[in-house]
Amino acid sequence: MVNLLVGHKGTGKTKTMIDLANSRAERSDGHVVFVNKNQRLMYDLIHEIRVVCMDDYDEITNSDEYIGFLYGIISSDHDIDAIFIDSILKHADVGKEDIPEFLARLKVISDQHDIDFTVSLSADLDELAGEVQDFNLIPHDGC
């Protein structure tokens, strides 16, 4: 399953992501991964969560490389059952125009490997309405 948190900057998406990731890790028999732009959130997440800082991987410059990177994470740990990607538009030069294909590819990975993805992106839901209909929209404080 691919879950989306969509809203403008400052609407509480990251706090919601942290709460969802911590809750998932506490009740999960598998592993949880949280992908973030930098180390800023590391101490807000419980220690069972694997935090991946994209600033450490400057060589990942587009959505194809990002998808390959996710496959690498998954192939190194077959017990992952959830991956949280905070603020995808700040990673690897992924732009709004890349989001429909990126989400479709995440859905394929999710179906293949039985992994739930939760992705936040700073955008206007109206801009994405036709492109996100197949995904689960998660409400949050700013939505």
Side-chain angles (χ1 to χ4, degrees), residues 71-89:
Y71 272 118
I73 291 171
I74 294 164
S75 69
S76 70
D77 183 350
H78 295 282
D79 292 326
I80 295 173
D81 68 3
I83 297 177
F84 292 81
I85 302 172
D86 189 38
S87 299
I88 186 59
L89 296 176

Side-chain angles (χ1 to χ4, degrees), residues 66-76 105 108-109 112-113:
Y66 197 93
I67 291 292
F69 182 72
L70 291 174
Y71 272 118
I73 291 171
I74 294 164
S75 69
S76 70
R105 292 172 79 180
V108 169
I109 296 169
Q112 286 175 341
H113 298 280

Side-chain angles (χ1 to χ4, degrees), residues 2-129:
V2 178
N3 304 296
L4 296 177
L5 276 103
V6 179
H8 293 286
K9 182 177 179 177
T11 58
K13 295 180 305 298
T14 297
K15 171 139 179 35
T16 300
M17 289 278 286
I18 291 168
D19 292 344
L20 289 170
N22 285 336
S23 175
R24 180 67 180 255
E26 288 173 347
R27 62 181 165 76
S28 177
D29 291 331
H31 298 157
V32 174
V33 176
F34 195 99
V35 183
N36 191 39
K37 174 79 172 139
N38 52 42
Q39 300 284 347
R40 184 175 60 91
L41 304 176
M42 182 176 289
Y43 299 108
D44 295 324
L45 297 161
I46 62 175
H47 73 277
E48 290 87 0
I49 297 173
R50 162 68 191 207
V51 177
V52 176
C53 173
M54 291 308 296
D55 279 348
D56 294 338
Y57 303 96
D58 290 337
E59 298 79 18
I60 299 172
T61 60
N62 60 51
S63 61
D64 287 337
E65 292 172 355
Y66 197 93
I67 291 292
F69 182 72
L70 291 174
Y71 272 118
I73 291 171
I74 294 164
S75 69
S76 70
D77 183 350
H78 295 282
D79 292 326
I80 295 173
D81 68 3
I83 297 177
F84 292 81
I85 302 172
D86 189 38
S87 299
I88 186 59
L89 296 176
K90 293 181 182 178
H91 302 203
D93 296 326
V94 175
K96 286 182 187 176
E97 66 279 359
D98 302 315
I99 294 300
E101 180 185 351
F102 180 79
L103 294 175
R105 292 172 79 180
L106 283 187
K107 179 147 179 31
V108 169
I109 296 169
S110 174
D111 293 344
Q112 286 175 341
H113 298 280
D114 195 26
I115 295 173
D116 291 335
F117 286 91
T118 302
V119 180
S120 73
L121 63 124
S122 294
D124 186 357
L125 185 56
D126 294 338
E127 292 176 319
L128 304 170

